[in-house]
Amino acid sequence: MYSTAVLGCAWGDEAKAKIVDVLAGESDIVVRFQGGNNAGHTIKVGNEKFVFHLIPSGILYPDKICILGSGVVIDPFKLIEEIDALKSKNIIFKNRFFIDARAHIVLPLHKELDGKYEQNSKQTRIGTTKRGIGPCYSDAYARTGIRFGDLFKTDYLKNRVSNIFSYHNYPVKEVDLVVKKLTKAGKQLEQYLKQIPYFLDECTDKHVLFEGAQGALLDINFGTYPFVTSSHTIAGGIPIGTGYAKKIDRVVGVFKSYYTRVGEGPFPTELNNETGNKIRTRGNEFGSTTGRPRRCGWFDAVAAKYTSMINGIDEIALTLLDVLSGFETVNICNKYILKNNEETDEFPYSNFDLEIVKPKYIELPGWEEDISQIKNFDDLPKNAKQYVHKIEEILKVKVSIVSVGAKRDQTIIR
Ligand code: IMO
Ligand code: MG
């Protein structure tokens, strides 16, 4: 068994799916271990564009098995929509798509609660995707959740739905209707039910690829709390979200060549100016899940060193380098300046501190050339190579993949 993990190392939207798509060719099984349909993973194959929210992007390869592990939260109605949309593009699911029985179900009431929390002016607004993710994980930890495997045991399901309705003071009269809808969705999804820990344990001669969603700075424990998502997005999330307990052989950390963030929360290198707008336009930085314009800024190596550490990354995939063509200079933040003017290269644990740090930049010369058709690292403009080398030098990790466009073949492997 050989295993690779592809993990977002910033605030999500690092173009992980593109890297998964490139690396999935060498693997047999693609597994998601956390998050839900808050993710938005876009892949371009030829002229066709696919957007995934729940299903691992490996499904585009007809011979790969795709899995949703126990750590993923599943909106069954949205999942059915996503499966149907892909089936209509001739993608086959039978005998190659599986869901762990332990994965929690996102209920309509979770989406309602997500919206309510976000609208309540007395509570901290997170800027969530309003997909019910936080409330669903909360219920999992409160032991009031409903799991995928429960959908197939009608009496037990009814018992569980009554329990969660009572917990949230929801009208009991609606229990039967919700049970009916869940049972109906369950009938369509039952063919995908599997005990994933046993399945992975038996795949001794296979290559497994773990596909991360969101990013390390959105991790529930190590991210910029409370402006985070509610799951374990880092490498440590893999065993708890799948039951696969062996060492991961290759951890690929995905970084954008600049930084972006959607939703609220601190962002030290954010550019609220023309340069930020130029990055947004050139990088088409609008959310694929909610359509929101993404906040844009320079590469933050203080944050990057931190996320590289907490993920134990072996190599870097640097994406969207093509977007940085046409800037006179490009900046990398390698220190934060604190309130007392002291400098630090430690990522603060508190948002309160992160809000007020000022970035200290290394300024590098930019490059004019369009690099989107370049296939070999050596053919990149000198200044683009220097930019990549600087990131390697600061992070002390090799950049083994450079992405210069959305398509599979717009990838430089070193
Ligand atoms: P991918 O997988 C970027 C952000 C939301 C919000 C916070 C909490 O495409 O990288 P949630 O709905 O998860 O409770 O929202 O997390 N967020 C993402 N940002 N990319 C994502 O996924 C995200 N998923 C959630 O904007 O700030
Ligand atoms: Mg996304």
Side-chain angles (χ1 to χ4, degrees), residues 278-291:
K278 187 171 165 186
I279 294 176
R280 185 176 307 107
T281 312
R282 288 192 47 96
N284 189 26
E285 293 295 351
F286 298 88
S288 46
T289 298
T290 55

Side-chain angles (χ1 to χ4, degrees), residues 177-190:
L177 181 65
V178 170
V179 169
K180 205 171 142 195
K181 282 186 184 165
L182 288 174
T183 307
K184 189 174 166 219
K187 284 214 170 77
Q188 290 183 63
L189 297 172
E190 191 166 10

Side-chain angles (χ1 to χ4, degrees), residues 76-141:
F77 310 107
K78 289 288 164 197
L79 177 60
I80 290 170
E81 274 178 29
E82 200 170 326
I83 291 173
D84 288 347
L86 287 163
K87 277 186 177 168
S88 75
K89 292 183 174 178
N90 298 321
I91 287 167
I92 292 164
F93 282 77
K94 203 168 182 237
N95 297 329
R96 58 179 291 249
F97 176 64
F98 303 112
I99 306 170
D100 192 83
R102 298 163 187 81
H104 276 262
I105 295 293
V106 181
L107 297 170
L109 77 81
H110 291 136
K111 283 197 272 191
E112 228 173 275
L113 289 171
D114 201 351
K116 266 192 202 154
Y117 294 143
E118 287 287 285
Q119 273 157 22
N120 188 332
S121 59
K122 296 195 183 103
Q123 285 172 210
T124 308
R125 212 181 90 85
I126 307 296
T128 74
T129 60
K130 301 204 182 116
R131 299 296 190 269
I133 305 299
C136 179
Y137 280 112
S138 301
D139 272 324
Y141 277 84

Side-chain angles (χ1 to χ4, degrees), residues 90-311:
N90 298 321
I91 287 167
I92 292 164
F93 282 77
K94 203 168 182 237
N95 297 329
R96 58 179 291 249
F97 176 64
F98 303 112
I99 306 170
D100 192 83
R102 298 163 187 81
H104 276 262
I105 295 293
V106 181
L107 297 170
L109 77 81
H110 291 136
K111 283 197 272 191
E112 228 173 275
L113 289 171
D114 201 351
K116 266 192 202 154
Y117 294 143
E118 287 287 285
Q119 273 157 22
N120 188 332
S121 59
K122 296 195 183 103
Q123 285 172 210
T124 308
R125 212 181 90 85
I126 307 296
T128 74
T129 60
K130 301 204 182 116
R131 299 296 190 269
I133 305 299
C136 179
Y137 280 112
S138 301
D139 272 324
Y141 277 84
R143 294 161 292 187
T144 41
I146 290 168
R147 307 199 296 175
F148 184 57
D150 301 343
L151 301 186
F152 318 109
K153 305 185 187 302
T154 314
D155 290 343
Y156 183 60
L157 178 63
K158 192 163 175 188
N159 182 316
R160 294 300 294 166
V161 175
S162 305
N163 187 63
I164 197 172
F165 270 47
S166 156
Y167 182 76
H168 289 291
N169 289 318
Y170 256 65
V172 182
K173 60 178 183 348
E174 281 173 30
V175 168
D176 283 340
L177 181 65
V178 170
V179 169
K180 205 171 142 195
K181 282 186 184 165
L182 288 174
T183 307
K184 189 174 166 219
K187 284 214 170 77
Q188 290 183 63
L189 297 172
E190 191 166 10
Q191 55 186 308
Y192 308 122
L193 177 75
K194 208 64 65 254
Q195 287 245 34
I196 297 303
Y198 288 101
F199 180 79
L200 290 176
D201 193 50
E202 282 159 17
C203 294
T204 46
D205 58 342
K206 301 277 192 274
H207 181 165
V208 186
L209 191 144
F210 294 97
E211 170 176 349
Q214 289 82 47
L217 296 174
L218 289 172
D219 182 89
I220 184 72
N221 284 348
F222 294 97
T224 49
Y225 192 89
F227 303 101
V228 293
T229 191
S230 297
S231 65
H232 301 283
T233 59
I234 61 172
I238 295 172
I240 35 175
T242 61
Y244 177 85
K246 297 183 187 78
K247 184 179 167 295
I248 307 296
D249 298 294
R250 180 184 183 198
V251 181
V252 180
V254 189
F255 291 90
K256 253 177 181 161
S257 301
Y258 48 90
Y259 269 45
T260 62
R261 174 161 208 173
V262 254
E264 308 300 317
F267 180 0
T269 62
E270 182 169 15
L271 295 164
N272 280 312
N273 57 19
E274 268 315 301
T275 311
N277 294 341
K278 187 171 165 186
I279 294 176
R280 185 176 307 107
T281 312
R282 288 192 47 96
N284 189 26
E285 293 295 351
F286 298 88
S288 46
T289 298
T290 55
R292 291 177 287 178
R294 295 178 184 143
R295 300 155 65 192
C296 299
W298 293 122
F299 190 95
D300 183 343
V302 177
K305 270 193 280 188
Y306 170 69
T307 60
S308 159
M309 172 177 74
I310 60 178
N311 276 315

Side-chain angles (χ1 to χ4, degrees), residues 12-13 16 38-41 288-289 294:
D13 300 324
K16 297 172 285 290
N38 48 347
H41 298 166
S288 46
T289 298
R294 295 178 184 143

